[in-house]
Amino acid sequence: RFAPLMEVVLQRGNSAGNVGSSLQKRSDRSDVVRRATIHEKKLGHFLRKFAPELMDIRNYDLNDLCAQLMHVDMGLIRSIHPRSMLKKLWKSKNAAFLCPDLMHAIATWNKRCYWVATAILMDNDVKGGGLAAFSRRAKAFIKRFLHIARKCVKMGNYYCASCILCSLKMQCIRRLTPAWDLLSKESNKDMEFLEEACSRKSYWERFDKAQDSREIHLPHLPLVLDALYQIEVKFTKDSDDHINLSKYKKQWKIIFGLMKTQRSDSYKIPKNDELISALSSAVHWAFPEEKLYSISYKYLPRSRNTIVSRRSNRAGISIVSRGATPRTPTPNPADSSSSSKP
């Protein structure tokens, strides 16, 4: 009579024991996750403080540095499937799922922009020198990045050159007037050369020239994505559900240039794993935008007067209050508005 009852009690006891053990396992697992998270935060704080200064680009050879940047960027461009650049997939909500290869290239472009700004604004080695010492250090890094960008243009790496130019045009860098005034005439000529090479008209002329020859040409990602976006917008409104061969012809011209670069084997330089690892680490731990602006304002405070700024989307002059500081938008080549930048 009592046998079924005892079986039920035993089953309940076992189930209660299982629940208790599972709760114990969950608590142990959560404790492990909590400790790992704390450790990761401490490690991240340490790396954010020290990692960017561990790689000083002034200590590396210019040709070797540009060659390894070419290796990294060539791998990114080769990983992009041509289909990812059609139908504005990078602008959709599921872009990470529809075109992960292209989104990875865009994310790397953005991170490198912040790395360039971090290297210029890093002030860990400025000891009591104030604005003068900080300006001299920033000037040295601006000059170095201008040399790197000029070399990248000559090598056909417009992916990296456009990234450096976008970083140099960020407001937190452009406002450092004392550092820019210290630049020599040669550096100013490098800046003018870079702006001209990455401008819309000049770039597409260089793009067409590269298609007619066997030159390596890594694309200017913001201009390429903006051109493909404009093609989709224009011919979608005018097509009326009809096949438009002109649209496909313009798309094919751009994508064929990408495919030609992906299939090219003419660029063969020994790979430097140590330098590539240092570049990846420095780019990964670059400072966010808020930190960059805080360092910039630390040495060159904002004026207390009312800030007058001319906005590109309005014809008149707009008055901005003291608390609202005009900033450059986050560099993102996926945004069509980034076409105003190089």
Side-chain angles (χ1 to χ4, degrees):
R1 181 184 303 178
F2 296 100
L5 182 60
M6 291 299 295
E7 290 179 0
V8 172
V9 172
L10 290 175
Q11 290 176 0
R12 290 182 178 178
N14 293 334
S15 62
N18 293 335
V19 171
S21 61
S22 63
L23 291 176
Q24 183 66 25
K25 290 180 180 178
R26 289 181 183 177
S27 62
D28 295 342
R29 193 182 302 115
S30 62
D31 187 52
V32 171
V33 171
R34 182 179 59 82
R35 292 180 181 178
T37 305
I38 294 174
H39 177 70
E40 183 180 357
K41 287 182 179 179
K42 291 181 178 179
L43 179 62
H45 176 72
F46 173 81
L47 290 175
R48 284 187 182 276
K49 187 175 180 181
F50 296 103
E53 71 175 13
L54 293 179
M55 184 192 179
D56 192 341
I57 59 171
R58 297 173 295 181
N59 299 332
Y60 293 91
D61 180 68
L62 178 64
N63 295 326
D64 192 16
L65 187 61
C66 293
Q68 302 312 312
L69 284 170
M70 190 77 168
H71 270 296
V72 175
D73 298 340
M74 180 68 79
L76 288 171
I77 298 303
R78 283 179 174 172
S79 66
I80 299 176
H81 196 284
R83 193 179 301 165
S84 301
M85 307 187 77
L86 298 175
K87 298 182 179 180
K88 302 179 291 185
L89 293 180
W90 65 92
K91 304 269 303 174
S92 62
K93 296 181 179 179
N94 299 325
F97 174 75
L98 297 174
C99 52
D101 44 5
L102 180 57
M103 297 307 296
H104 176 62
I106 292 172
T108 304
W109 195 92
N110 290 329
K111 288 180 181 179
R112 192 175 295 176
C113 284
Y114 287 118
W115 166 64
V116 173
T118 301
I120 296 173
L121 294 173
M122 178 66 63
D123 61 343
N124 286 5
D125 54 352
V126 179
K127 299 180 180 179
L131 178 61
F134 176 74
S135 300
R136 287 193 297 269
R137 184 194 178 281
K139 168 252 179 184
F141 274 87
I142 292 173
K143 179 180 178 181
R144 187 64 169 174
F145 277 115
L146 285 173
H147 289 168
I148 293 173
R150 186 182 184 94
K151 184 69 175 179
C152 287
V153 170
K154 291 182 177 179
M155 297 172 66
N157 188 358
Y158 290 89
Y159 178 91
C160 184
S162 63
C163 178
I164 294 176
L165 182 58
C166 180
S167 301
L168 295 177
K169 286 194 171 184
M170 291 177 67
Q171 184 63 23
C172 58
I173 305 295
R174 292 299 301 173
R175 67 185 303 274
L176 300 178
T177 308
W180 288 96
D181 291 342
L182 293 175
L183 290 176
S184 62
K185 293 182 179 180
E186 182 182 357
S187 297
N188 290 325
K189 288 182 180 179
D190 289 341
M191 186 66 179
E192 293 175 0
F193 169 79
L194 184 60
E195 290 178 340
E196 190 274 335
C198 293
S199 63
R200 187 181 299 272
K201 180 180 179 181
S202 177
Y203 171 73
W204 289 115
E205 291 177 355
R206 295 168 184 261
F207 179 85
D208 295 336
K209 182 179 178 181
Q211 303 312 309
D212 299 334
S213 61
R214 295 185 178 181
E215 298 177 0
I216 295 294
H217 183 93
L218 299 187
H220 187 315
L221 197 58
L223 289 184
V224 168
L225 292 182
D226 180 66
L228 292 171
Y229 177 82
Q230 297 299 333
I231 290 173
E232 290 286 349
V233 171
K234 177 182 178 181
F235 288 99
T236 300
K237 293 180 179 179
D238 301 339
S239 61
D240 295 332
D241 297 331
H242 296 293
I243 297 177
N244 195 319
L245 296 179
S246 178
K247 170 185 175 181
Y248 296 134
K249 183 179 179 180
K250 292 184 176 182
Q251 286 179 335
W252 172 249
K253 179 182 178 181
I254 298 175
I255 293 178
F256 178 75
L258 175 69
M259 296 172 63
K260 185 178 178 181
T261 300
Q262 292 175 336
R263 297 173 182 177
S264 176
D265 295 329
S266 58
Y267 187 77
K268 296 180 181 179
I269 289 181
K271 184 179 179 181
N272 188 340
D273 294 328
E274 181 180 357
L275 181 53
I276 290 178
S277 178
L279 282 169
S280 301
S281 177
V283 170
H284 181 71
W285 295 108
F287 286 157
E289 187 177 6
E290 293 76 12
K291 177 66 174 178
L292 296 175
Y293 275 96
S294 65
I295 298 175
S296 180
Y297 292 140
K298 174 183 175 182
Y299 291 96
L300 197 65
R302 289 179 293 182
S303 175
R304 294 185 178 181
N305 299 328
T306 304
I307 302 171
V308 181
S309 65
R310 185 179 298 274
R311 296 183 179 178
S312 58
N313 57 346
R314 294 184 182 179
I317 295 178
S318 59
I319 307 298
V320 185
S321 61
R322 295 181 184 178
T325 306
R327 296 185 179 181
T328 55
T330 302
N332 191 347
D335 190 1
S336 60
S337 62
S338 64
S339 59
S340 60
K341 300 180 183 180

